[in-house]
Amino acid sequence: MTGSTRRDLLAACGAGLAGLAGCSGLSPFDDGEERVDTGRLAGDLATVALPASPYPISVPASLADRHRERARELLDGVPDSPSIPNAAVARKLRAERDRAATSLESDGDERESWPLDRLDGDRYDRSEAASVRSAYRAAVGEDDGDRLREYRQTIAASRGAFEGDLAYRASDPVAAVLAHEPVEELLAECRDALQPTPPYPDDPRAEPFRAGEAVGTVERSAAALGDARRLRERYLREAADPRPQWDRVAVAAESLERALRFSQDRVEGYQDPGTDVFERDLDGTAARSLYFDAAHDLRTRIEGTKAAVDDADFATAVLDAGRGLAALEVLTAVVTGIREGAYQGDPSLSTVRTGAEASAAAIESALDTEPRGLAVRLCEPALFTHRYAVRSVARYEPDAVDLLAEFRRAELFASAVPEATAFVVERLRDGETAQ
């Protein structure tokens, strides 16, 4: 997960963000110690616990149950030892069925993800089960092409009707964004998976696994649409005074997209990574990784925000823009820091540990920002960057330079979240009063 567009941007918009150039993330490395053997840091780094889900209501267990029941039903249609003349196809089918069944029965560690994220895994298991089932049918001479076309048409019609009635119903525009961005993501998943690539083959018996992949992809489309519909139904049942917020969120999304786009002038010349702009050799330093990641992140968030606005996915655009404001601040801070000589020494054991502690402190502070749900969503890139970096130490002893760069990036991003949150709320409120 990456961060996004940023916040000095607010200076250009009239709201003004505090610059990060003087924060601890820009202090030079301590060159007085030996290079870090990161394996020695296992179990010794500060980390941040996964906060409660920012989704405004509980996710019913019935959503996961539906996917798992459907997946089991599909796998039950595939024999443990399929009788197929082609031995290679039979072996692969057995292996694919076993793998799908194992994944379906593996719960994982629920503490490491939010319920909505776990649903993604359930949809994947359902999709894989459908792939195996259709591959088996193709291998024994059954053609699912006509049924697949009808299934796609039904899904497309249902998706269009559902999307046309979205309206962002909630008690206020902030709640509307938090409740409907996941729904928009699911509808985008539904749309993308509705066109399997490669498509269902003309001769499925000759290409059974391609046939299975096409059917599995469309099954995932149906699963995403089902989750979107049931999440919205659940939210509307539990929400207090859910009124249409479409116009308010749309106005805010377009305003945020413009603010982000115009404010990128602050880092003009630094958005297409090339370390020659600094007129110094950054190879082998945290500065190089920080700069390339920050520049890429900002570009991605600007493009993503515009695409979301163009697609009328306004809740998604609001969150992308908020993260983009943070990404702009990160790139500004990194460029300033590199020009002042930061991030270019050899990291030591103490600087990596200090970097982990500083990023954890910045993230925990950001997560306390109100409104909390919005702050958590904007802080996700920093949160998951930090948590992954900490876990990576025990898993594969990452390079110390890369590890410190990740902690610095998470710290800088999280440090911008409180003001980014405030700015997003301000624009949402402006959209509310402008009606």
Side-chain angles (χ1 to χ4, degrees):
M1 301 200 154
T2 58
S4 269
T5 69
R6 273 301 211 151
R7 285 275 342 205
D8 227 338
L9 152 37
L10 295 187
C13 311
L17 272 182
L20 295 178
C23 78
S24 62
L26 298 179
S27 58
F29 296 129
D30 177 358
D31 294 321
E33 300 183 31
E34 297 179 0
R35 290 182 66 85
V36 175
D37 171 8
T38 59
R40 296 166 59 191
L41 294 170
D44 190 35
L45 296 181
T47 191
V48 178
L50 190 70
S53 170
Y55 189 62
I57 63 167
S58 61
V59 177
S62 60
L63 270 68
D65 292 341
R66 283 176 180 271
H67 297 316
R68 299 171 78 83
E69 289 168 8
R70 171 66 171 159
R72 291 189 181 99
E73 173 188 320
L74 290 163
L75 288 179
D76 285 345
V78 184
D80 291 338
S81 299
S83 178
I84 297 171
N86 188 319
V89 170
R91 283 195 301 272
K92 185 172 181 179
L93 267 175
R94 284 196 296 272
E96 292 292 306
R97 187 190 188 285
D98 290 346
R99 182 180 59 79
T102 298
S103 179
L104 180 60
E105 299 307 323
S106 176
D107 291 332
D109 188 345
E110 293 192 355
R111 296 170 300 177
E112 293 300 311
S113 60
W114 288 317
L116 284 179
D117 296 326
R118 294 198 293 274
L119 271 180
D120 183 75
D122 294 323
R123 291 192 299 276
Y124 173 81
D125 288 340
R126 175 174 165 178
S127 170
E128 290 297 287
S131 294
V132 174
R133 167 67 170 160
S134 189
Y136 168 71
R137 285 175 54 79
V140 298
E142 298 291 340
D143 188 336
D144 288 331
D146 289 340
R147 295 200 312 176
L148 185 63
R149 280 188 289 274
E150 293 174 3
Y151 197 24
R152 288 176 57 203
Q153 290 169 1
T154 300
I155 296 168
S158 297
R159 180 185 180 276
F162 176 79
E163 192 172 32
D165 188 44
L166 205 53
Y168 294 151
R169 298 179 190 279
S171 58
D172 63 74
V174 174
V177 168
L178 296 177
H180 289 84
E181 185 270 348
V183 173
E184 287 180 346
E185 290 294 310
L186 287 164
L187 289 174
E189 181 180 330
C190 173
R191 178 194 63 224
D192 295 343
L194 203 54
Q195 303 290 338
T197 304
Y200 194 85
D202 293 332
D203 185 359
R205 191 165 195 170
E207 300 180 272
F209 296 103
R210 177 178 155 187
E213 183 180 355
V215 171
T217 300
V218 176
E219 185 74 21
R220 185 174 180 101
S221 177
L225 179 59
D227 280 350
R229 179 183 292 112
R230 293 181 183 97
L231 283 173
R232 190 186 66 157
E233 290 171 352
R234 175 70 172 240
Y235 177 76
L236 292 178
R237 285 198 301 269
E238 295 190 10
D241 189 25
R243 291 169 283 112
Q245 305 287 343
W246 181 271
D247 290 343
R248 296 170 175 83
V249 175
V251 168
E254 291 169 348
S255 173
L256 287 164
E257 190 275 331
R258 286 193 299 272
L260 179 58
R261 179 161 37 90
F262 293 150
S263 298
Q264 66 179 311
D265 290 347
R266 201 156 47 81
V267 288
E268 186 176 2
Y270 293 99
Q271 289 176 268
D272 294 315
T275 55
D276 55 312
V277 298
F278 296 104
E279 300 178 347
R280 66 190 72 188
D281 183 10
L282 298 180
D283 286 348
T285 69
R288 187 180 191 281
S289 177
L290 273 169
Y291 172 56
F292 274 72
D293 286 346
H296 176 267
D297 193 24
L298 177 58
R299 277 201 322 277
T300 299
R301 293 297 177 186
I302 291 172
E303 293 167 1
T305 301
K306 183 180 185 303
V309 169
D310 290 345
D311 290 339
D313 290 338
F314 296 121
T316 299
V318 167
L319 292 184
D320 273 350
R323 292 174 186 152
L325 295 171
L328 176 59
E329 200 68 26
V330 170
L331 181 57
T332 301
V334 167
V335 168
T336 301
I338 291 173
R339 291 216 170 275
E340 293 178 355
Y343 316 124
Q344 294 160 58
D346 291 333
S348 66
L349 183 67
S350 63
T351 53
V352 173
R353 184 182 293 110
T354 298
E357 292 169 349
S359 66
I363 292 166
E364 288 169 349
S365 178
L367 295 178
D368 284 338
T369 303
E370 295 292 341
R372 182 188 166 281
L374 180 60
V376 172
R377 292 306 315 271
L378 296 188
C379 196
E380 278 180 31
L383 172 67
F384 288 106
T385 293
H386 168 88
R387 284 168 58 83
Y388 177 82
V390 170
R391 289 197 302 271
S392 71
V393 171
R395 292 178 178 179
Y396 60 86
E397 299 181 8
D399 179 81
V401 169
D402 294 338
L403 187 62
L404 184 54
E406 291 293 273
F407 286 133
R408 294 301 197 207
R409 185 159 64 96
E411 179 193 0
L412 289 170
F413 193 95
S415 296
V417 164
E419 290 193 62
T421 302
F423 187 66
V424 169
V425 170
E426 175 188 312
R427 290 304 169 98
L428 285 168
R429 300 303 184 201
D430 285 348
E432 185 175 24
T433 57
Q435 303 308 306

